[in-house]
Amino acid sequence: MDESQAVHLAAATVQPSLPQTTDLAAATADLLGQPNSSADMTNATPEAKSAGLAALYNELDDIPLSEKAALVYVQQTKPELVGDDEVFRFLLVENFKAREAARRLVRYWNERYRLFGQDKFCLPLTLKGALKDDSLALSRGYVQILPQADTAGRAVIYVDWSCHEPSIGYSVESMHRVFWYIVHVAMEDIEVLKRGLVLLIYPQEARLDQFDHSLWKSIAESCKYSLPIQWKSTHIVHPNRFFSIIHPLFMSTLPKTVQDRVVVHSGTKMKVLANLLRYCLPWDRIPSDVGGCVDLDFGKWLSERMIKEDKMSSVSQGATTSQGGVGNLLAQLTGQSQLAQATQLMQTAPLGLGSSIPTLPLPDQAMSAAAHPLFGGNKNQLLLNLTHPTGNITNVPLETIGPTYRFEIFHRGSPSMPVIAGGSKSSKKKDKASDAPAKGKATNVKSGRKSDPRMDRAVEAKLADPSMSLLDALRAGGFEIPSSSSSSAPQYVVVDGDNVKITQRKNQLLRRLRTVKKEDQKNCNEV
């Protein structure tokens, strides 16, 4: 196939003559898990895939170097990260529209640079890679991927707002990186790449200060404009009494096309479960916190995930990855004058496509190792100069760059949790999570949602006196429970001082008691 034929086929692939649907119809299809008839290229032939990639690479050529500096830099230093398979994801999410896919690819690497920094944005998005300094935010269990996709084949990302506690020492950017990591885990399934993801948000036990507007604005922009996956719908389950306050603010963080795909589910447990079923979320695939039957064990998931990533890393070490057509970007960087021009553009010109990135050093392959300032006379020195941008590190061995890891066991109610410590230093400003362990021993944070201290006291009271009723245990914990004599209404409609139903409080207490008993039994069996 010659170049003209490839371009012709690409044009036919990029703009399929399919009937267009209205925005409302497309939103309804996404909510109900139905295929969007306006464009569906998920089952493209190999010829169409090759033609689509060729068209995308041609579009990349038209983007100024100052706007795609991060992408070019990655292609030179880590070409396996921008191989054909990785770039094809962006074609899928944009339904083979080459121009939109190219711009999303550039935005992705610009944002990845801004979010992870120069020392980590080229690392693989793994627990021991780009996430090595984010163990504190990870341990909160704020963002989790559910074990099963919904009945439409879409990944379900579960978000518990009550787990967000930046006051303990991590930054908003760190939690944003955790969201990126969870989404990339979901993208390992090719079916998810084709069908997209669904967000399931549980705000009932969250405080007003735990809703982070800046975090959700960043997440929404990532999903809409950068990440190579389709954000299909968002379901907010069992909103609490302050949700009406933050709901307009939350909606304002979302793009207009996403706002049409947000559904709030309130009411009785059975009513909410029936509503979720309409949107491809049956009770056997959603967490027990929202009324389903899936018991999440995030600590165990992290441990298994780390083992899986270690195996994948060992397998991929000997494998070679195609560099793909991104290699044609290097044509702009051959020769001393063009390299100088590109460097000047990155230093002076504003970087577009919705994201700005600082200047990136671009090593010239035509220059010798001894002459290039990044290499410092040694080709292996490039990695050292990237991870240690300041100071004289010529004599630092490569073996000392990698992070160290330790594993600690969390007792009662908290499973085994890997805690990642150490990592390479940088002159850039670190998150609070990196600076916190400066004094004394590192603080271990319990994984999962931060529990209500009143419920903790209620559990202790019930364990201390098994004959105590559930209502008395809740009162002993500090909940404002009205006495039975003060109200003639049935118990299932009576609420406490926080406007939460008494029956729900009792169910929460029972779940906590079962968890404690299971952990105690497990510990006894291990002994």
mmCIF file of all heavy atoms in Angstrom, residues 4 7 27 47 62 137 306 320 411:
data_model
loop_
_atom_site.group_PDB
_atom_site.id
_atom_site.type_symbol
_atom_site.label_atom_id
_atom_site.label_comp_id
_atom_site.label_asym_id
_atom_site.label_seq_id
_atom_site.Cartn_x
_atom_site.Cartn_y
_atom_site.Cartn_z
ATOM 1 N N SER A 4 -0.369 7.389 -0.732
ATOM 2 C CA SER A 4 -1.652 7.997 -1.124
ATOM 3 C C SER A 4 -2.828 7.088 -0.786
ATOM 4 O O SER A 4 -3.881 7.546 -0.339
ATOM 5 C CB SER A 4 -1.641 8.307 -2.626
ATOM 6 O OG SER A 4 -1.464 7.112 -3.377
ATOM 7 N N VAL A 7 -3.419 7.296 2.995
ATOM 8 C CA VAL A 7 -4.115 8.521 3.375
ATOM 9 C C VAL A 7 -5.595 8.434 3.018
ATOM 10 O O VAL A 7 -6.470 8.850 3.773
ATOM 11 C CB VAL A 7 -3.454 9.744 2.707
ATOM 12 C CG1 VAL A 7 -4.289 10.998 2.932
ATOM 13 C CG2 VAL A 7 -2.043 9.927 3.230
ATOM 14 N N ALA A 27 -26.261 10.644 25.548
ATOM 15 C CA ALA A 27 -26.149 10.580 27.005
ATOM 16 C C ALA A 27 -27.007 9.443 27.558
ATOM 17 O O ALA A 27 -26.577 8.716 28.465
ATOM 18 C CB ALA A 27 -26.559 11.918 27.620
ATOM 19 N N GLU A 47 -6.195 -3.340 8.993
ATOM 20 C CA GLU A 47 -5.915 -2.322 7.981
ATOM 21 C C GLU A 47 -6.412 -0.951 8.435
ATOM 22 O O GLU A 47 -5.740 0.068 8.258
ATOM 23 C CB GLU A 47 -6.573 -2.709 6.649
ATOM 24 C CG GLU A 47 -5.981 -3.932 5.978
ATOM 25 C CD GLU A 47 -6.465 -5.231 6.601
ATOM 26 O OE1 GLU A 47 -7.430 -5.188 7.416
ATOM 27 O OE2 GLU A 47 -5.879 -6.294 6.291
ATOM 28 N N ASP A 62 1.627 18.204 12.533
ATOM 29 C CA ASP A 62 1.124 19.573 12.376
ATOM 30 C C ASP A 62 1.066 20.331 13.701
ATOM 31 O O ASP A 62 0.788 21.533 13.701
ATOM 32 C CB ASP A 62 -0.271 19.542 11.748
ATOM 33 C CG ASP A 62 -0.250 18.997 10.322
ATOM 34 O OD1 ASP A 62 0.811 19.104 9.674
ATOM 35 O OD2 ASP A 62 -1.283 18.457 9.871
ATOM 36 N N ALA A 137 -1.621 8.505 50.246
ATOM 37 C CA ALA A 137 -2.899 8.743 49.587
ATOM 38 C C ALA A 137 -3.527 7.424 49.122
ATOM 39 O O ALA A 137 -4.736 7.237 49.215
ATOM 40 C CB ALA A 137 -2.722 9.696 48.405
ATOM 41 N N MET A 306 0.671 -5.461 43.728
ATOM 42 C CA MET A 306 2.113 -5.295 43.721
ATOM 43 C C MET A 306 2.807 -6.567 43.231
ATOM 44 O O MET A 306 3.784 -6.512 42.465
ATOM 45 C CB MET A 306 2.616 -4.920 45.124
ATOM 46 C CG MET A 306 4.088 -4.567 45.166
ATOM 47 S SD MET A 306 4.569 -3.859 46.753
ATOM 48 C CE MET A 306 3.836 -2.236 46.635
ATOM 49 N N THR A 320 10.704 -6.421 23.545
ATOM 50 C CA THR A 320 10.930 -5.187 22.790
ATOM 51 C C THR A 320 9.600 -4.660 22.326
ATOM 52 O O THR A 320 8.732 -5.404 21.876
ATOM 53 C CB THR A 320 11.829 -5.455 21.565
ATOM 54 O OG1 THR A 320 11.225 -6.463 20.763
ATOM 55 C CG2 THR A 320 13.206 -5.918 22.000
ATOM 56 N N HIS A 411 -3.355 -4.269 62.136
ATOM 57 C CA HIS A 411 -4.153 -5.165 62.971
ATOM 58 C C HIS A 411 -5.606 -4.719 63.035
ATOM 59 O O HIS A 411 -5.971 -3.648 62.601
ATOM 60 C CB HIS A 411 -3.557 -5.209 64.377
ATOM 61 C CG HIS A 411 -2.127 -5.668 64.388
ATOM 62 N ND1 HIS A 411 -1.770 -6.966 64.127
ATOM 63 C CD2 HIS A 411 -0.965 -4.992 64.584
ATOM 64 C CE1 HIS A 411 -0.453 -7.092 64.197
ATOM 65 N NE2 HIS A 411 0.052 -5.905 64.461
#
